[in-house]
Amino acid sequence: MTESGDTVRRRRVVVGVGGGIAAYKACALIRILTESGCHVDVIPTEAALRFVGAATFEALSGNPVSTGVFSDVPSVRHVALGQRADLVVVAPATADLLSRAATGRADDLLTSTLLTARCPVLLAPAMHTEMWEHPATRRNVDTLRADGVHVMPPASGRLTGADSGAGRLPEPADIGRLAALLLDGGALPWDLAGRHVVVTAGGTREELDPVRFLGNRSSGKQGHAIAAVAAARGARVTLVTSADLPVPPAVEGVRVESARELHAEVLRLAADADVVVKAAAVADFRPVEVAEAKLKKGSGSEPAEIRLVQNPDILADLVAARSGGEVPAGTVLVGFAAETGDATASVLEHGRRKLARKGCDLLVVNEVGRGTTFGEDVNGGWILDAAGGETELDRGSKDLMAGRILDAVAARLDGRPASDPA
Ligand code: CTP
């Protein structure tokens, strides 16, 4: 019930479970979804029930479980479950299940449900590396993606037995994160495949002595969300971050501290990037002197004042490097601006001026100062483009916001050759 007394419809999620050893991890995913308030129907395959019993799925979801199309015939479950679902997520999706789904088979309750579902469908594959890399599986994945199904890239690491490589089921929390994005109305088109996206995140730390630094209140959540969603849309992603947050799956993380470290890494990586998203909150100034030992009060070594020197403007240097040919001419450069309105200009006017001053292609403008944005899980604002266009971003999760920013980026990339075609 809402405060006004309306009943909020529980979102209905079908969790399909394929017959692989990773079926046990589906239990954690079911728990994540029920705890977020979803109604969950679990549909295992016959083979999945050799790994995890129906009683476990029934207890976790609170709903009956069946595998075939001939159980509970009067309720026409093989049609009804798919029709009513807001999301179908399959974890693990085995090589066999991908093949049956790609060819439109309807030989059990799960594949029948996949055919009747008109909601987003998210498949999380798990299999041995050879099976994942086999041309037959590649074709099936391409077919499913062309049909609008979202097939997550599997994680890399330890597989059953002694081998390791690509083919591990992504972590339940990472599957749950994409499920939440799709349930919130976000989309995950496979439109950044072959693109190299560089994202910067977090507030830089400018060293004062071995234990102290000058920093800012940026949490890095928005930058990390952009990296996660870009990877889920097929991009090769490098995340240059100073935030104390985990690097999302299928993303290469580069840890930095100071603006100068960030500057060096970003200019190096931009040489072959299709996109650079500068979500990092870069300190404009750093201390002139960095003490080698901790500054102690009463020791006589404490500074009477801290003198500051200006840091390089990384975004401006990227724009200059693009003009000079060190960064490809087609690289899309995206800046961020956290602004407050003042007597001289509104938030948007400040944003427009900054876009013109920096010379980037897109500027994401957030309003700050009213307890919003820093460290929060939701965000809002505007995307301004160099041609004068303006798109308002309704407040929503940082993953949803990431999707909208990447939509604007993808529209600018449209038609340009990819930097590393698969
Ligand atoms: N930025 C950068 N290098 C800097 C400062 C900022 O690359 N030394 C980038 C940020 O990553 C962000 C954009 O520029 O994408 C705008 O950051 P902001 O701090 O708002 O810009 P400033 O030029 O510092 O403007 P202000 O004078 O309003 O602080």
Side-chain angles (χ1 to χ4, degrees):
M1 293 277 254
T2 63
E3 277 174 22
S4 60
D6 300 336
T7 307
V8 178
R9 190 178 72 83
R10 284 174 80 197
R11 295 183 294 185
R12 302 186 73 98
V13 180
V14 169
V15 176
V17 186
I21 179 64
Y24 77 93
K25 290 194 185 171
C27 299
L29 176 64
I30 296 163
R31 176 70 94 197
I32 289 169
L33 291 165
T34 54
E35 285 192 352
S36 70
C38 297
H39 169 108
V40 176
D41 287 299
V42 184
I43 311 181
T45 62
E46 276 294 324
L49 292 183
R50 300 179 72 134
F51 292 95
V52 179
T56 303
F57 294 135
E58 291 188 336
L60 284 171
S61 68
N63 288 307
V65 159
S66 51
T67 60
V69 291
F70 291 109
S71 50
D72 194 11
V73 172
S75 73
V76 206
R77 272 167 75 77
H78 70 291
V79 177
L81 286 175
Q83 282 176 336
R84 286 192 315 223
D86 296 302
L87 174 72
V88 178
V89 44
V90 180
T94 58
D96 177 64
L97 200 47
L98 292 178
S99 165
R100 290 193 290 133
T103 50
R105 296 285 298 267
D107 47 1
D108 60 9
L109 186 58
L110 179 51
T111 46
S112 304
T113 301
L114 287 170
L115 283 184
T116 53
R118 292 295 174 270
C119 57
V121 173
L122 176 64
L123 306 183
M127 64 198 74
H128 282 275
T129 309
E130 293 81 355
M131 295 171 111
W132 174 249
E133 289 176 348
H134 194 282
T137 305
R138 310 301 326 142
R139 277 195 302 277
N140 290 331
V141 169
D142 288 347
T143 301
L144 288 160
R145 284 180 178 151
D147 287 347
V149 171
H150 188 74
V151 185
M152 288 177 77
S156 281
R158 181 79 196 274
L159 303 170
T160 345
D163 48 346
S164 67
R168 260 173 80 87
L169 185 74
E171 288 308 311
D174 297 323
I175 304 170
R177 175 179 192 168
L178 297 190
L181 175 62
L182 293 170
L183 284 167
D184 283 347
L188 286 170
W190 192 253
D191 58 351
L192 296 175
R195 305 291 185 183
H196 182 204
V197 176
V198 175
V199 183
T200 73
T204 62
R205 294 174 171 192
E206 308 299 326
E207 212 182 356
L208 264 171
D209 72 12
V211 292
R212 300 186 183 90
F213 58 82
L214 298 181
N216 61 63
R217 296 169 67 185
S218 168
S219 68
K221 284 182 183 172
Q222 186 62 74
H224 279 238
I226 292 167
V229 176
R233 288 168 69 153
R236 173 164 74 89
V237 182
T238 314
L239 173 64
V240 191
T241 181
S242 54
D244 293 326
L245 292 172
V247 173
V251 168
E252 191 196 345
V254 177
R255 298 277 178 187
V256 292
E257 291 251 308
S258 67
R260 282 192 297 175
E261 282 170 25
L262 184 63
H263 183 265
E265 289 297 341
V266 171
L267 276 128
R268 178 181 69 80
L269 290 162
D272 79 342
D274 296 280
V275 183
V276 182
V277 182
K278 291 249 30 265
V282 186
D284 288 324
F285 303 95
R286 66 176 182 277
V288 174
E289 284 136 32
V290 180
E292 289 204 357
K294 186 181 170 192
L295 298 168
K296 285 191 172 296
K297 56 183 179 302
S299 66
S301 71
E302 69 271 37
E305 58 183 22
I306 297 170
R307 286 189 302 126
L308 300 173
V309 60
Q310 200 165 325
N311 271 325
D313 187 322
I314 305 169
L315 190 52
D317 284 358
L318 276 172
V319 172
R322 187 173 62 175
S323 306
E326 301 103 70
V327 170
T331 301
V332 177
L333 301 178
V334 185
F336 271 67
E339 300 286 347
T340 56
D342 57 28
T344 64
S346 68
V347 171
L348 266 177
E349 283 160 352
H350 279 300
R352 277 254 153 257
R353 288 178 201 167
K354 190 164 284 182
L355 177 63
R357 198 169 72 237
K358 298 267 179 182
C360 54
D361 305 301
L362 298 171
L363 189 78
V364 181
V365 182
N366 301 130
E367 185 170 12
V368 290
R370 291 193 217 137
T372 56
T373 304
F374 290 116
E376 279 203 16
D377 290 325
V378 292
N379 208 352
W382 298 265
I383 302 178
L384 308 182
D385 70 44
E390 175 183 314
T391 309
E392 185 159 3
L393 300 169
D394 295 335
R395 277 178 78 72
S397 72
K398 290 195 171 175
D399 284 358
L400 259 186
M401 211 58 57
R404 295 194 190 128
I405 295 163
L406 291 168
D407 289 344
V409 166
R412 295 188 80 91
L413 287 170
D414 204 20
R416 292 189 196 167
S419 68
D420 39 41

CSV table of all heavy atoms in Angstrom, one decimal, residues 134-174:
chain,number,residue,atom,x,y,z
A,134,HIS,N,32.0,-22.0,-28.9
A,134,HIS,CA,31.7,-22.8,-30.1
A,134,HIS,C,30.9,-21.9,-31.1
A,134,HIS,O,30.0,-21.2,-30.6
A,134,HIS,CB,30.9,-24.0,-29.7
A,134,HIS,CG,30.8,-25.0,-30.8
A,134,HIS,ND1,30.0,-24.9,-31.9
A,134,HIS,CD2,31.5,-26.2,-31.1
A,134,HIS,CE1,30.2,-25.9,-32.8
A,134,HIS,NE2,31.1,-26.7,-32.3
A,135,PRO,N,31.1,-22.0,-32.4
A,135,PRO,CA,30.4,-21.2,-33.4
A,135,PRO,C,28.9,-21.4,-33.2
A,135,PRO,O,28.1,-20.5,-33.5
A,135,PRO,CB,30.9,-21.7,-34.7
A,135,PRO,CG,32.2,-22.3,-34.5
A,135,PRO,CD,32.2,-22.8,-33.0
A,136,ALA,N,28.4,-22.6,-32.9
A,136,ALA,CA,27.0,-22.8,-32.8
A,136,ALA,C,26.4,-22.0,-31.6
A,136,ALA,O,25.3,-21.3,-31.8
A,136,ALA,CB,26.7,-24.3,-32.5
A,137,THR,N,27.1,-21.9,-30.5
A,137,THR,CA,26.6,-21.1,-29.4
A,137,THR,C,26.7,-19.6,-29.8
A,137,THR,O,25.8,-18.8,-29.5
A,137,THR,CB,27.4,-21.4,-28.1
A,137,THR,OG1,27.4,-22.8,-27.9
A,137,THR,CG2,26.9,-20.6,-26.9
A,138,ARG,N,27.8,-19.2,-30.5
A,138,ARG,CA,27.9,-17.8,-30.9
A,138,ARG,C,26.7,-17.4,-31.8
A,138,ARG,O,26.2,-16.3,-31.6
A,138,ARG,CB,29.2,-17.5,-31.7
A,138,ARG,CG,30.5,-18.0,-31.1
A,138,ARG,CD,30.9,-17.5,-29.8
A,138,ARG,NE,30.5,-16.1,-29.5
A,138,ARG,CZ,30.1,-15.7,-28.4
A,138,ARG,NH1,30.0,-16.5,-27.3
A,138,ARG,NH2,29.7,-14.4,-28.2
A,139,ARG,N,26.4,-18.3,-32.7
A,139,ARG,CA,25.2,-18.0,-33.6
A,139,ARG,C,24.0,-17.9,-32.8
A,139,ARG,O,23.1,-17.0,-33.1
A,139,ARG,CB,25.1,-19.2,-34.6
A,139,ARG,CG,25.9,-19.1,-35.9
A,139,ARG,CD,25.4,-20.0,-37.0
A,139,ARG,NE,25.3,-21.4,-36.6
A,139,ARG,CZ,26.3,-22.3,-36.6
A,139,ARG,NH1,27.5,-21.9,-37.0
A,139,ARG,NH2,26.2,-23.5,-36.2
A,140,ASN,N,23.8,-18.8,-31.8
A,140,ASN,CA,22.5,-18.7,-31.0
A,140,ASN,C,22.4,-17.4,-30.3
A,140,ASN,O,21.4,-16.8,-30.2
A,140,ASN,CB,22.5,-19.9,-30.1
A,140,ASN,CG,22.2,-21.2,-30.8
A,140,ASN,OD1,21.6,-21.2,-31.9
A,140,ASN,ND2,22.7,-22.3,-30.3
A,141,VAL,N,23.6,-17.0,-29.7
A,141,VAL,CA,23.6,-15.8,-28.9
A,141,VAL,C,23.3,-14.6,-29.8
A,141,VAL,O,22.5,-13.7,-29.5
A,141,VAL,CB,24.9,-15.6,-28.2
A,141,VAL,CG1,25.1,-14.2,-27.6
A,141,VAL,CG2,25.1,-16.7,-27.1
A,142,ASP,N,23.9,-14.6,-31.0
A,142,ASP,CA,23.7,-13.5,-32.0
A,142,ASP,C,22.2,-13.4,-32.4
A,142,ASP,O,21.6,-12.4,-32.5
A,142,ASP,CB,24.5,-13.7,-33.3
A,142,ASP,CG,26.0,-13.4,-33.0
A,142,ASP,OD1,26.3,-12.8,-32.0
A,142,ASP,OD2,26.8,-13.8,-33.9
A,143,THR,N,21.6,-14.6,-32.6
A,143,THR,CA,20.2,-14.7,-33.0
A,143,THR,C,19.3,-14.1,-31.8
A,143,THR,O,18.4,-13.3,-32.1
A,143,THR,CB,19.8,-16.1,-33.3
A,143,THR,OG1,20.6,-16.6,-34.3
A,143,THR,CG2,18.3,-16.3,-33.6
A,144,LEU,N,19.6,-14.6,-30.6
A,144,LEU,CA,18.8,-14.1,-29.5
A,144,LEU,C,18.9,-12.6,-29.3
A,144,LEU,O,17.9,-11.9,-29.1
A,144,LEU,CB,19.2,-14.8,-28.2
A,144,LEU,CG,18.8,-16.3,-28.1
A,144,LEU,CD1,19.6,-17.1,-27.1
A,144,LEU,CD2,17.3,-16.4,-27.8
A,145,ARG,N,20.2,-12.1,-29.4
A,145,ARG,CA,20.3,-10.6,-29.3
A,145,ARG,C,19.6,-9.9,-30.4
A,145,ARG,O,19.0,-8.8,-30.2
A,145,ARG,CB,21.8,-10.3,-29.3
A,145,ARG,CG,22.5,-10.6,-28.0
A,145,ARG,CD,23.9,-10.3,-27.9
A,145,ARG,NE,24.5,-10.6,-26.6
A,145,ARG,CZ,25.7,-11.0,-26.4
A,145,ARG,NH1,26.6,-11.0,-27.4
A,145,ARG,NH2,26.1,-11.2,-25.1
A,146,ALA,N,19.7,-10.4,-31.6
A,146,ALA,CA,18.9,-9.7,-32.7
A,146,ALA,C,17.4,-9.8,-32.5
A,146,ALA,O,16.7,-8.9,-32.9
A,146,ALA,CB,19.3,-10.4,-34.1
A,147,ASP,N,17.0,-10.8,-31.7
A,147,ASP,CA,15.5,-10.8,-31.4
A,147,ASP,C,15.2,-9.9,-30.2
A,147,ASP,O,14.0,-9.9,-29.7
A,147,ASP,CB,15.1,-12.3,-31.0
A,147,ASP,CG,15.1,-13.2,-32.2
A,147,ASP,OD1,15.1,-12.7,-33.4
A,147,ASP,OD2,15.0,-14.4,-32.1
A,148,GLY,N,16.2,-9.2,-29.7
A,148,GLY,CA,15.9,-8.3,-28.6
A,148,GLY,C,16.0,-8.9,-27.2
A,148,GLY,O,15.7,-8.3,-26.2
A,149,VAL,N,16.5,-10.1,-27.1
A,149,VAL,CA,16.8,-10.8,-25.8
A,149,VAL,C,18.1,-10.3,-25.3
A,149,VAL,O,19.1,-10.1,-26.1
A,149,VAL,CB,16.8,-12.3,-26.0
A,149,VAL,CG1,17.3,-13.0,-24.7
A,149,VAL,CG2,15.4,-12.8,-26.4
A,150,HIS,N,18.2,-10.0,-24.0
A,150,HIS,CA,19.5,-9.6,-23.5
A,150,HIS,C,20.3,-10.7,-22.9
A,150,HIS,O,19.9,-11.4,-21.9
A,150,HIS,CB,19.3,-8.5,-22.4
A,150,HIS,CG,20.7,-8.0,-22.0
A,150,HIS,ND1,21.4,-7.1,-22.8
A,150,HIS,CD2,21.5,-8.3,-21.0
A,150,HIS,CE1,22.6,-6.9,-22.3
A,150,HIS,NE2,22.7,-7.6,-21.2
A,151,VAL,N,21.4,-11.1,-23.6
A,151,VAL,CA,22.2,-12.2,-23.2
A,151,VAL,C,23.4,-11.6,-22.5
A,151,VAL,O,24.2,-10.9,-23.1
A,151,VAL,CB,22.7,-13.1,-24.3
A,151,VAL,CG1,23.4,-14.3,-23.8
A,151,VAL,CG2,21.4,-13.5,-25.2
A,152,MET,N,23.6,-11.8,-21.2
A,152,MET,CA,24.7,-11.2,-20.5
A,152,MET,C,26.0,-11.9,-20.9
A,152,MET,O,26.0,-13.1,-21.1
A,152,MET,CB,24.6,-11.4,-18.9
A,152,MET,CG,23.5,-10.6,-18.3
A,152,MET,SD,23.3,-10.9,-16.5
A,152,MET,CE,24.8,-10.1,-15.8
A,153,PRO,N,27.1,-11.2,-21.0
A,153,PRO,CA,28.4,-11.9,-21.1
A,153,PRO,C,28.7,-12.7,-19.9
A,153,PRO,O,28.5,-12.2,-18.8
A,153,PRO,CB,29.4,-10.8,-21.3
A,153,PRO,CG,28.6,-9.5,-21.4
A,153,PRO,CD,27.3,-9.7,-20.8
A,154,PRO,N,29.1,-14.0,-20.0
A,154,PRO,CA,29.4,-14.7,-18.8
A,154,PRO,C,30.6,-14.2,-18.1
A,154,PRO,O,31.4,-13.5,-18.7
A,154,PRO,CB,29.7,-16.2,-19.3
A,154,PRO,CG,30.0,-16.0,-20.7
A,154,PRO,CD,29.4,-14.7,-21.2
A,155,ALA,N,30.8,-14.5,-16.8
A,155,ALA,CA,32.0,-14.0,-16.1
A,155,ALA,C,33.1,-15.0,-16.4
A,155,ALA,O,32.9,-16.1,-16.9
A,155,ALA,CB,31.7,-14.0,-14.6
A,156,SER,N,34.4,-14.6,-16.1
A,156,SER,CA,35.5,-15.5,-16.3
A,156,SER,C,36.0,-15.9,-14.9
A,156,SER,O,35.9,-15.2,-13.9
A,156,SER,CB,36.7,-14.7,-16.9
A,156,SER,OG,36.4,-14.6,-18.3
A,157,GLY,N,36.5,-17.1,-14.8
A,157,GLY,CA,37.0,-17.6,-13.6
A,157,GLY,C,36.9,-19.1,-13.5
A,157,GLY,O,36.8,-19.8,-14.5
A,158,ARG,N,36.9,-19.6,-12.2
A,158,ARG,CA,36.9,-21.0,-11.9
A,158,ARG,C,35.6,-21.6,-12.4
A,158,ARG,O,34.5,-21.1,-12.1
A,158,ARG,CB,37.1,-21.2,-10.4
A,158,ARG,CG,37.1,-22.6,-10.0
A,158,ARG,CD,38.5,-23.2,-10.2
A,158,ARG,NE,38.4,-24.7,-10.1
A,158,ARG,CZ,38.5,-25.3,-9.0
A,158,ARG,NH1,38.7,-24.7,-7.9
A,158,ARG,NH2,38.3,-26.7,-9.0
A,159,LEU,N,35.7,-22.7,-13.2
A,159,LEU,CA,34.5,-23.4,-13.7
A,159,LEU,C,34.4,-24.8,-12.9
A,159,LEU,O,35.3,-25.0,-12.0
A,159,LEU,CB,34.6,-23.7,-15.2
A,159,LEU,CG,34.8,-22.4,-16.0
A,159,LEU,CD1,35.1,-22.7,-17.5
A,159,LEU,CD2,33.5,-21.5,-15.9
A,160,THR,N,33.4,-25.6,-13.2
A,160,THR,CA,33.4,-26.9,-12.5
A,160,THR,C,34.6,-27.7,-12.9
A,160,THR,O,35.0,-27.6,-14.0
A,160,THR,CB,32.1,-27.7,-12.9
A,160,THR,OG1,31.2,-26.9,-13.6
A,160,THR,CG2,31.6,-28.5,-11.8
A,161,GLY,N,35.1,-28.4,-12.0
A,161,GLY,CA,36.3,-29.2,-12.3
A,161,GLY,C,37.5,-28.3,-12.2
A,161,GLY,O,37.5,-27.3,-11.5
A,162,ALA,N,38.6,-28.7,-12.9
A,162,ALA,CA,39.9,-28.0,-12.7
A,162,ALA,C,40.0,-26.8,-13.6
A,162,ALA,O,40.9,-25.9,-13.3
A,162,ALA,CB,41.0,-28.9,-12.9
A,163,ASP,N,39.2,-26.6,-14.6
A,163,ASP,CA,39.4,-25.6,-15.6
A,163,ASP,C,38.9,-24.2,-15.1
A,163,ASP,O,38.0,-24.1,-14.3
A,163,ASP,CB,38.9,-26.0,-17.0
A,163,ASP,CG,37.5,-26.5,-16.9
A,163,ASP,OD1,37.0,-26.8,-15.8
A,163,ASP,OD2,36.8,-26.6,-18.0
A,164,SER,N,39.4,-23.2,-15.8
A,164,SER,CA,38.8,-21.9,-15.6
A,164,SER,C,38.9,-21.1,-16.9
A,164,SER,O,39.7,-21.4,-17.8
A,164,SER,CB,39.6,-21.1,-14.5
A,164,SER,OG,40.9,-20.8,-14.9
A,165,GLY,N,38.0,-20.1,-17.0
A,165,GLY,CA,37.9,-19.3,-18.3
A,165,GLY,C,36.6,-18.7,-18.3
A,165,GLY,O,35.8,-18.6,-17.3
A,166,ALA,N,36.2,-18.2,-19.5
A,166,ALA,CA,34.9,-17.5,-19.7
A,166,ALA,C,33.8,-18.6,-19.7
A,166,ALA,O,33.9,-19.6,-20.3
A,166,ALA,CB,34.9,-16.8,-21.1
A,167,GLY,N,32.8,-18.3,-18.9
A,167,GLY,CA,31.7,-19.3,-18.9
A,167,GLY,C,31.0,-19.4,-17.5
A,167,GLY,O,30.0,-20.0,-17.3
A,168,ARG,N,31.6,-18.7,-16.5
A,168,ARG,CA,31.0,-18.7,-15.2
A,168,ARG,C,29.7,-17.9,-15.2
A,168,ARG,O,29.6,-16.9,-15.8
A,168,ARG,CB,32.0,-18.0,-14.2
A,168,ARG,CG,32.8,-18.9,-13.3
A,168,ARG,CD,33.8,-18.0,-12.6
A,168,ARG,NE,33.1,-17.4,-11.4
A,168,ARG,CZ,33.1,-18.0,-10.2
A,168,ARG,NH1,33.6,-19.2,-10.0
A,168,ARG,NH2,32.5,-17.4,-9.2
A,169,LEU,N,28.8,-18.3,-14.4
A,169,LEU,CA,27.5,-17.6,-14.2
A,169,LEU,C,27.9,-16.2,-13.6
A,169,LEU,O,28.6,-16.2,-12.6
A,169,LEU,CB,26.6,-18.3,-13.3
A,169,LEU,CG,25.2,-17.6,-13.2
A,169,LEU,CD1,24.4,-17.8,-14.5
A,169,LEU,CD2,24.4,-18.2,-12.0
A,170,PRO,N,27.4,-15.1,-14.1
A,170,PRO,CA,27.6,-13.8,-13.4
A,170,PRO,C,27.1,-13.9,-12.0
A,170,PRO,O,26.2,-14.7,-11.7
A,170,PRO,CB,26.8,-12.8,-14.3
A,170,PRO,CG,26.7,-13.4,-15.6
A,170,PRO,CD,26.7,-14.9,-15.4
A,171,GLU,N,27.6,-13.1,-11.1
A,171,GLU,CA,27.2,-13.2,-9.7
A,171,GLU,C,25.7,-12.8,-9.6
A,171,GLU,O,25.2,-11.9,-10.3
A,171,GLU,CB,28.0,-12.2,-8.8
A,171,GLU,CG,29.4,-12.6,-8.6
A,171,GLU,CD,29.5,-14.1,-8.1
A,171,GLU,OE1,28.8,-14.4,-7.1
A,171,GLU,OE2,30.3,-14.9,-8.6
A,172,PRO,N,24.9,-13.5,-8.7
A,172,PRO,CA,23.5,-13.2,-8.6
A,172,PRO,C,23.2,-11.7,-8.4
A,172,PRO,O,22.3,-11.1,-8.9
A,172,PRO,CB,23.1,-14.0,-7.3
A,172,PRO,CG,24.0,-15.2,-7.4
A,172,PRO,CD,25.3,-14.6,-7.9
A,173,ALA,N,24.1,-11.0,-7.6
A,173,ALA,CA,23.9,-9.5,-7.4
A,173,ALA,C,24.0,-8.8,-8.7
A,173,ALA,O,23.2,-7.8,-8.9
A,173,ALA,CB,24.9,-9.0,-6.4
A,174,ASP,N,24.9,-9.2,-9.6
A,174,ASP,CA,25.0,-8.5,-10.8
A,174,ASP,C,23.8,-8.8,-11.8
A,174,ASP,O,23.4,-7.9,-12.5
A,174,ASP,CB,26.3,-8.9,-11.5
A,174,ASP,CG,27.5,-8.5,-10.7
A,174,ASP,OD1,27.5,-7.4,-10.0
A,174,ASP,OD2,28.5,-9.2,-10.6
